[in-house]
Amino acid sequence: MPKNNAFLPIAEKYFERDPAAAAHALEAMDSGDAVEILKTLPLGMTSEAMKHLDDAYAAVLLQKMPRSLFVRIANNLDVRQAANIFHEFPEDMRRDFLELLEERKKREIQELLIYPRESAGQIMTVDFVAFHSDLKVKDTVSKIRYLAQHNSKSSYIYVIDKEGRLIGVLRMRDLLIADGNTLLESIMHRDVFSVNCFLDREQVANEISKRNYFAVPVVDHEHKLLGVIRAEQLISDVQEEVTEDIQKMFGASGNERAFSPISFSLRTRLPWLHVNLMTAFLAATVVSFFQDLIAQITVLAVYLPVVAGQGGNAGAQSLAVVMRGIVMREIPPARAKQLVLKEALIGLINGLVIGTITGIIAVLWQGKPFLGLVVALGMLVNLTVAGFAGALIPLTMKALGRDPAQCSNIILTTITDVMGFLAFLGFAALFRGYLI
Amino acid sequence: MPKNNAFLPIAEKYFERDPAAAAHALEAMDSGDAVEILKTLPLGMTSEAMKHLDDAYAAVLLQKMPRSLFVRIANNLDVRQAANIFHEFPEDMRRDFLELLEERKKREIQELLIYPRESAGQIMTVDFVAFHSDLKVKDTVSKIRYLAQHNSKSSYIYVIDKEGRLIGVLRMRDLLIADGNTLLESIMHRDVFSVNCFLDREQVANEISKRNYFAVPVVDHEHKLLGVIRAEQLISDVQEEVTEDIQKMFGASGNERAFSPISFSLRTRLPWLHVNLMTAFLAATVVSFFQDLIAQITVLAVYLPVVAGQGGNAGAQSLAVVMRGIVMREIPPARAKQLVLKEALIGLINGLVIGTITGIIAVLWQGKPFLGLVVALGMLVNLTVAGFAGALIPLTMKALGRDPAQCSNIILTTITDVMGFLAFLGFAALFRGYLI
């Protein structure tokens, strides 16, 4: 894109009129082109556009910019967003780029980077309004009038004591309807719900969603008010949290993104592929026990992928439904056992239906009635085990305090492969005489 | 649980002090016991507790209550929550139970049930504040004072014209700092963002999250204001949306919940198991082509599950990362091709590493160098195809306007099974002379 482009005035109009939509258009472009556009736009517009960009993509663009432009934009960013963007940087780059910032900005960002990834402290905003409890309503209103030019979002007003501890909360409306000479402490609501700065964001989301609050204050261990988390900020965090679960179920890292570097993808995926390989050899070992049988009755090999595939899929259905129940907090511990039994029963019924059909196909295809019986029985056992294991694995991991998503599908397919082959080939051995 | 229980006063205290936590405790109980408790508590407390219950569980409890209690509670429910709960009822029960309600309540709930499941109209709340544009600030404030006793949550005030069309928006703070005689139309913000009542909730969530609004107004095609969606309501909707994706990837219905009736689970899962069975027979057919070869070299059967398992898992990793990118809107259409190539390249490298290791194990275990080569080459081809297909499937479905999650894992394992067996057994046929 040439520097003095005829399209520039149009692009500027777009960024001025609807920065969110323009930023979205930017995300759809090649990152090199996007950087060229940001270089050409006036700095104010560029900074405004950065606000609406996805953090991961903003990180990519910032890394590709000339250092001088990076510095000017980064110093303009809201501290919380800057911290989120820096979390997306590779660790060594993060250090180098932070050094380029103004001392104060750098320190504020580093403070936010102290909190664990995805904790309340890391995702909170420090852009909130808090007043002391001995302030009068009319003085509060005039302070708010003054702040109105600078501060954009607050609709709760927090009340703190002399030590900065959170002791109450007010709505704008409470001020609107109160007498001007009242002290805040006499109209504030004292039962203010807050979360600790180290709480995981998933739990923060659950609290906000359960109580239907649109914001919660974040405090430290001394109950000092540190920041605020607003519901609208959590929406994309929640999407992230659950999509990370999908990745972890298959043994990809929760941190990997579509455009993560290939080296990162390999580093996180290969270890689990090795784990999967070991477990695949467990299944292979089961098959190897029956090698003589397969040499005699080769058609058994044809049904191995059918038995394994159905078990894996039926088990994954149970796994997915139970994972959903865990994320949505729909499974009280007292009902976990009931759920495992229910899934095993579904597996049994699935096994009866699918087993019968597969058996009939086997009889029709190979013309051997006992092959049909062996396939049907193998399927029945495998699908029952699949339903049972698909529910038991995530619930057990959760009960043990582990991440229920972590490679749960790898564990599941190991069980269904091993049990499926044992049952199918075991029944074949039993009916050997009728199969040859 | 006996009616007059010594624990009742304690239970009442709990429901009074922290209805959200008490409702959560209720969710952890057997539904029969929970109904007994709700029957015993004063009606006001029961209604308050219902507000905090998960909609699906609330539906279960309501169905189990005596009809008279159901009527009293349901007439007390917020219309929006009632509609959500009724969405969880089986269709015939929904009709019967709706008939029991007061005429006005029934009509209001039915109006919300008109909107498609998971649309803006269905999830919006009608509990909002709107004033006409020719109202003065001081009159607005006195109206708000009056409403303050009834209305709980608003922090945006919407401004409508004579026909009820949305034309502006105000914050409480705008009123707080304005002169009393000003008209609303002269201080309102005219660039108010709204969504259509038929828009899907996932897109509403994306708009709110992208623009960082804490609420959006919902309008009909004439731009008449119908309701409001608040960010905090969307958090659990978003969790639901993404966990439904996990279920759909494996061919379970998005609507199934942990405690759905077994008949419902079977009805939605069995069709996909049949699809999976057909595709498994595709893989079986490939194996059957090579039956003579397997009869000669039985050890090939031992490696079938290894090749298939690794392909399925590596492909699922790609699939999960790409699904995440789609949900998080991180993949602009222009970069889709780049992503597919990247995943294929990761598959190739994974294939080189895992293929080499598997080959070495095969040589050590079976003592046949050419078996190692065949396994390694089969793995290389299969893992490359797996990476390619894992990215291509969801992106193609999205480009075609289909749901990218829908049974994507079933399609994927079909491809990896078929390609894996073709490659592995094909190479075995090629090197047949060296394997015997």
Side-chain angles (χ1 to χ4, degrees):
Chain A
M1 198 176 182
K3 281 261 166 178
N4 280 308
N5 195 305
F7 291 109
L8 180 59
I10 295 177
E12 283 188 0
K13 266 271 167 329
Y14 193 21
F15 275 93
E16 201 171 28
R17 261 191 70 110
D18 193 348
H24 189 51
L26 219 52
E27 285 175 4
M29 298 174 65
D30 173 82
S31 60
D33 291 345
V35 167
E36 283 308 311
I37 289 179
L38 291 178
K39 271 159 72 177
T40 317
L41 289 174
L43 183 64
M45 267 179 209
T46 307
S47 301
E48 183 64 26
M50 296 303 289
K51 273 188 213 161
H52 298 280
L53 277 182
D54 173 79
D55 294 332
Y57 196 59
V60 170
L61 296 186
L62 284 174
Q63 287 165 30
K64 289 197 173 182
M65 279 177 189
R67 294 296 157 107
S68 59
L69 182 59
F70 162 83
V71 170
R72 268 177 295 150
I73 292 176
N75 282 331
N76 256 336
L77 282 176
D78 157 69
V79 179
R80 178 189 175 266
Q81 199 198 359
N84 285 336
I85 294 175
F86 275 109
H87 261 294
E88 304 291 337
F89 274 58
E91 197 144 335
D92 47 339
M93 276 184 121
R94 187 189 305 157
R95 233 184 353 257
D96 293 349
F97 275 86
L98 268 173
E99 283 307 322
L100 300 171
L101 298 181
E102 300 171 352
E103 198 50 36
R104 193 170 136 266
K105 202 86 182 177
K106 178 180 133 193
R107 198 170 32 75
E108 285 176 352
I109 294 172
Q110 279 173 330
E111 266 169 27
L112 280 179
L113 288 170
I114 287 169
Y115 297 109
R117 210 182 136 82
E118 301 171 7
S119 67
Q122 199 239 310
I123 60 170
M124 72 190 181
T125 167
V126 291
D127 166 25
F128 63 88
V129 181
F131 296 108
H132 286 284
S133 53
D134 55 1
L135 203 65
K136 281 184 188 158
V137 165
K138 60 182 179 191
D139 301 326
T140 309
V141 171
S142 61
K143 282 203 179 193
I144 289 174
R145 278 187 196 168
Y146 172 76
L147 285 172
Q149 281 84 43
H150 311 288
N151 187 291
S152 55
K153 282 252 164 189
S154 342
S155 26
Y156 286 133
I157 295 148
Y158 297 101
V159 185
I160 50 177
D161 67 9
K162 294 267 184 307
E163 279 78 37
R165 282 187 297 250
L166 176 69
I167 53 169
V169 66
L170 285 167
R171 298 230 178 80
M172 283 289 171
R173 208 182 40 215
D174 296 323
L175 290 179
L176 205 61
I177 62 180
D179 175 80
N181 285 312
T182 325
L183 297 185
L184 295 189
E185 63 183 345
S186 59
I187 57 163
M188 71 187 187
H189 307 277
R190 286 170 193 277
D191 54 340
V192 44
F193 178 79
S194 61
V195 296
N196 185 276
C197 54
F198 288 106
L199 193 72
D200 184 76
R201 68 172 176 190
E202 190 169 2
Q203 286 168 276
V204 177
N206 288 350
E207 293 293 349
I208 287 194
S209 157
K210 188 168 256 319
R211 291 164 198 267
N212 230 353
Y213 289 147
F214 51 91
V216 290
V218 180
V219 297
D220 67 9
H221 63 288
E222 289 180 311
H223 217 69
K224 280 192 184 146
L225 182 59
L226 299 175
V228 172
I229 297 174
R230 300 207 181 87
E232 71 270 19
Q233 296 172 331
L234 278 173
I235 289 178
S236 71
D237 287 348
V238 161
Q239 286 179 323
E240 201 169 291
E241 198 81 47
V242 185
T243 48
E244 284 179 3
D245 280 349
I246 306 183
Q247 294 186 184
K248 286 187 280 185
M249 284 166 69
F250 298 109
S253 150
N255 296 329
E256 188 179 340
R257 279 137 195 275
F259 293 104
S260 290
I262 289 181
S263 58
F264 181 82
S265 306
L266 290 171
R267 215 162 47 234
T268 59
R269 294 192 206 178
L270 263 172
W272 289 114
L273 285 180
H274 282 95
V275 171
N276 197 53
L277 188 62
M278 286 194 296
T279 68
F281 269 104
L282 266 181
T285 309
V286 172
V287 178
S288 76
F289 292 153
F290 296 90
Q291 225 172 304
D292 294 343
L293 185 70
I294 294 172
Q296 275 187 294
I297 315 157
T298 329
V299 73
L300 292 176
V302 174
Y303 286 88
L304 287 179
V306 180
V307 173
Q310 288 299 103
N313 187 220
Q317 289 180 338
S318 298
L319 176 63
V321 171
V322 173
M323 272 301 301
R324 178 192 186 289
I326 290 174
V327 171
M328 300 301 293
R329 310 170 300 284
E330 285 174 0
I331 310 172
R335 299 180 78 194
K337 194 176 145 196
Q338 180 195 341
L339 186 58
V340 174
L341 293 178
K342 182 195 139 187
E343 288 299 327
L345 181 58
I346 291 175
L348 179 75
I349 301 173
N350 279 339
L352 282 170
V353 176
I354 298 291
T356 307
I357 293 171
T358 323
I360 292 172
I361 295 175
V363 174
L364 294 176
W365 190 10
Q366 265 81 26
K368 294 183 180 177
F370 274 91
L371 179 67
L373 180 67
V374 164
V375 169
L377 289 173
M379 201 65 98
L380 178 65
V381 171
N382 197 17
L383 262 54
T384 309
V385 170
F388 182 76
L392 190 65
I393 292 166
L395 288 171
T396 307
M397 293 216 268
K398 193 183 167 231
L400 296 174
R402 308 296 292 267
D403 183 341
Q406 192 64 63
C407 70
S408 46
N409 199 52
I410 294 180
I411 303 174
L412 175 71
T413 49
T414 308
I415 295 176
T416 53
D417 279 6
V418 168
M419 290 306 298
F421 294 150
L422 262 184
F424 170 58
L425 296 172
F427 284 120
L430 199 64
F431 294 104
R432 178 181 218 141
Y434 303 95
L435 284 170
I436 300 173
Chain B
M1 199 177 182
K3 281 258 165 182
N4 280 308
N5 195 304
F7 291 109
L8 180 60
I10 295 178
E12 284 187 0
K13 267 266 164 339
Y14 193 22
F15 276 93
E16 200 170 31
R17 260 193 69 113
D18 193 348
H24 190 49
L26 220 52
E27 286 175 1
M29 299 173 63
D30 172 82
S31 59
D33 290 346
V35 168
E36 284 308 311
I37 289 179
L38 291 178
K39 271 157 73 176
T40 318
L41 289 175
L43 183 65
M45 266 178 209
T46 307
S47 300
E48 182 64 27
M50 295 302 291
K51 272 188 212 159
H52 298 280
L53 277 182
D54 174 79
D55 293 332
Y57 196 60
V60 170
L61 296 186
L62 284 174
Q63 288 163 31
K64 289 196 173 182
M65 280 177 188
R67 293 295 158 107
S68 60
L69 182 60
F70 162 82
V71 171
R72 268 176 296 150
I73 292 176
N75 282 330
N76 257 335
L77 282 175
D78 157 67
V79 180
R80 178 189 177 266
Q81 199 197 359
N84 284 336
I85 293 175
F86 276 109
H87 261 295
E88 304 291 336
F89 274 57
E91 197 145 334
D92 47 339
M93 277 185 120
R94 188 189 304 157
R95 232 183 353 258
D96 294 349
F97 275 85
L98 267 174
E99 283 307 321
L100 301 171
L101 298 182
E102 298 171 355
E103 197 49 36
R104 195 172 133 265
K105 203 85 182 178
K106 178 181 131 192
R107 199 169 33 75
E108 285 177 354
I109 294 172
Q110 279 172 330
E111 266 169 27
L112 281 179
L113 288 170
I114 287 170
Y115 297 109
R117 212 183 136 81
E118 302 171 4
S119 66
Q122 199 239 309
I123 61 171
M124 72 188 180
T125 168
V126 290
D127 166 26
F128 62 89
V129 183
F131 295 108
H132 285 284
S133 53
D134 54 1
L135 204 66
K136 281 186 186 155
V137 166
K138 61 182 178 192
D139 301 325
T140 310
V141 171
S142 61
K143 283 203 178 192
I144 290 174
R145 274 185 199 169
Y146 171 77
L147 287 171
Q149 281 86 41
H150 312 286
N151 187 291
S152 55
K153 282 251 165 186
S154 344
S155 27
Y156 285 133
I157 295 149
Y158 296 101
V159 185
I160 50 178
D161 67 11
K162 293 267 181 313
E163 280 76 38
R165 283 188 295 254
L166 177 69
I167 53 169
V169 65
L170 285 166
R171 299 229 177 80
M172 284 289 171
R173 206 181 43 212
D174 298 324
L175 290 179
L176 206 61
I177 62 179
D179 175 78
N181 286 313
T182 324
L183 297 185
L184 295 189
E185 63 183 344
S186 61
I187 57 163
M188 72 187 187
H189 307 276
R190 286 170 192 276
D191 54 339
V192 45
F193 178 80
S194 61
V195 296
N196 184 276
C197 53
F198 289 106
L199 193 73
D200 184 76
R201 69 171 177 192
E202 189 169 0
Q203 284 168 279
V204 177
N206 289 350
E207 293 294 348
I208 288 193
S209 160
K210 186 167 260 309
R211 291 164 199 266
N212 231 354
Y213 289 146
F214 50 92
V216 290
V218 181
V219 296
D220 66 12
H221 62 288
E222 290 180 309
H223 218 71
K224 279 190 183 147
L225 182 59
L226 300 175
V228 171
I229 298 173
R230 300 208 182 84
E232 70 270 20
Q233 297 171 331
L234 278 173
I235 289 178
S236 70
D237 286 348
V238 162
Q239 286 179 324
E240 204 170 287
E241 197 81 48
V242 186
T243 48
E244 284 177 4
D245 281 349
I246 306 184
Q247 294 187 181
K248 287 187 281 186
M249 285 166 71
F250 297 109
S253 149
N255 296 327
E256 188 178 340
R257 282 136 195 276
F259 293 103
S260 290
I262 289 181
S263 58
F264 180 83
S265 307
L266 289 171
R267 214 163 45 235
T268 59
R269 295 192 206 176
L270 263 172
W272 289 114
L273 286 179
H274 282 95
V275 172
N276 197 54
L277 187 62
M278 287 195 295
T279 67
F281 269 103
L282 266 182
T285 308
V286 172
V287 178
S288 77
F289 292 154
F290 296 91
Q291 226 172 305
D292 294 341
L293 185 69
I294 296 172
Q296 274 188 297
I297 314 159
T298 329
V299 73
L300 291 176
V302 174
Y303 285 89
L304 288 179
V306 180
V307 173
Q310 288 300 103
N313 187 220
Q317 289 180 338
S318 297
L319 176 64
V321 171
V322 173
M323 272 301 301
R324 176 191 188 290
I326 290 174
V327 172
M328 300 302 292
R329 311 171 296 285
E330 284 174 2
I331 310 172
R335 299 179 79 193
K337 195 177 143 195
Q338 180 195 343
L339 186 58
V340 174
L341 293 177
K342 182 195 140 188
E343 288 299 326
L345 181 58
I346 291 176
L348 179 75
I349 302 173
N350 280 339
L352 282 170
V353 176
I354 297 291
T356 307
I357 293 170
T358 323
I360 292 172
I361 296 175
V363 174
L364 295 176
W365 190 10
Q366 266 81 26
K368 294 183 179 175
F370 275 91
L371 179 66
L373 180 66
V374 165
V375 169
L377 289 174
M379 201 65 99
L380 178 65
V381 172
N382 198 18
L383 263 54
T384 309
V385 171
F388 182 76
L392 190 64
I393 292 166
L395 289 171
T396 306
M397 293 217 269
K398 193 181 166 234
L400 296 175
R402 309 296 292 265
D403 183 341
Q406 193 62 63
C407 71
S408 48
N409 199 51
I410 294 180
I411 302 174
L412 175 70
T413 50
T414 307
I415 295 175
T416 54
D417 279 7
V418 168
M419 290 305 299
F421 295 150
L422 262 184
F424 169 58
L425 296 173
F427 285 120
L430 199 65
F431 293 105
R432 179 180 216 141
Y434 304 96
L435 284 169
I436 301 174

